[in-house]
Amino acid sequence: MADWSSYRLEDFLLFAPRAYWRLFELHNAALWPVQPFILLLGLGVAALVLRGAPRAGRLGFALLAAGWVAVGLLFFWQRYASINWAAPYLMPVFLAEAILLLLAGRGAIVPAAARWRFREWAGAGLVFFALALHPLLPLVFGRPLAQAEMIGLAPDPSAIATLGLLCLIPRGLLSGLALAVPVFWCLVSAATLHAMGEGQALVLLAAILVGLVAWALPPRGAPRGGKADAGPIRT
């Protein structure tokens, strides 16, 4: 039996990096021109959240939940499964996350930006990065923009945006469970990218760090003594 210590992470890759990035190019071409509409819709919801619109938070969670369903069905089932046999087994995880987001966002009230502290601003920063900056990463890492990854179409930005959005509502059991899935996926994706020799893996690790630290901080209005979960919490 071969010594397992002799294996490296890249030895477990089921596909070539070129095939992986080509998937996003094909995915974007098949769904064009939905990408500009996603960007405009996301920026519109973000503006409502910043203004403290009463139902903006619920709308954001509902749209992000729809994005997880779309990623599970359109990307994992129709695209990623063609080069990775494990993709169909991950699809139910994405569908379960959509349900968790709907439950966590039900009745959740996001405070207006004027009342935000570091926790909320860090979360908003993750959402903005996932929406507007993550699609530009191909240019940073020497790939064509046609391989851009967008919220609701690709798993990585959807997971990063979820980490951020969950920092805008109080902590609770449902929000904690909803947080576990994007953390899990970011770890899986970071390992995959690292195995391919892609520096983009660091982006996902940074998102996990920022998201977990921000989520662990007390939300706006919570006691300073670290008892953010005391009393009834809307999730």
Side-chain angles (χ1 to χ4, degrees):
M1 181 179 294
D3 184 3
W4 283 98
S5 63
S6 65
Y7 285 89
R8 296 176 298 176
L9 187 59
E10 52 266 34
D11 294 327
F12 295 93
L13 269 180
L14 302 174
F15 44 81
R18 182 177 179 180
Y20 179 78
W21 296 120
R22 176 65 174 164
L23 280 184
F24 294 102
E25 191 170 344
L26 294 173
H27 195 51
N28 286 327
L31 296 175
W32 180 265
V34 72
Q35 291 86 345
F37 289 102
I38 291 177
L39 180 60
L40 291 175
L41 181 61
L43 292 175
V45 174
L48 292 175
V49 170
L50 288 172
R51 293 176 55 190
R55 298 183 180 180
R58 269 176 277 179
L59 177 59
F61 274 91
L63 291 174
L64 198 52
W68 280 83
V69 172
V71 170
L73 295 177
L74 299 180
F75 182 76
F76 273 83
W77 187 261
Q78 294 187 5
R79 300 284 176 194
Y80 202 18
S82 65
I83 63 171
N84 188 345
W85 62 265
Y89 298 98
L90 289 171
M91 185 189 70
V93 177
F94 276 65
L95 300 183
E97 176 66 5
I99 297 174
L100 287 172
L101 286 175
L102 289 175
L103 294 175
R106 184 183 58 185
I109 298 176
V110 178
R115 300 177 55 213
W116 286 1
R117 296 194 299 211
F118 175 81
R119 182 183 194 266
E120 290 80 10
W121 281 113
L126 286 174
V127 174
F128 178 78
F129 173 84
L131 178 66
L133 299 182
H134 195 281
L136 301 178
L137 287 182
L139 300 179
V140 177
F141 292 98
R143 303 192 309 273
L145 192 59
Q147 297 174 356
E149 303 166 75
M150 294 199 66
I151 292 178
L153 301 183
D156 289 7
S158 299
I160 294 173
T162 302
L163 290 174
L165 193 61
L166 289 170
C167 293
L168 299 181
I169 64 173
R171 293 191 303 260
L173 176 60
L174 287 172
S175 61
L177 291 174
L179 187 77
V181 176
V183 169
F184 163 76
W185 174 254
C186 284
L187 288 173
V188 171
S189 186
T192 302
L193 291 171
H194 177 71
M196 294 192 301
E198 295 284 351
Q200 193 168 319
L202 296 176
V203 174
L204 293 165
L205 295 178
I208 293 174
L209 179 62
V210 173
L212 289 179
V213 169
W215 189 82
L217 293 174
R220 176 70 184 180
R224 290 288 184 177
K227 299 180 180 179
D229 290 318
I233 292 179
R234 292 184 178 181
T235 57

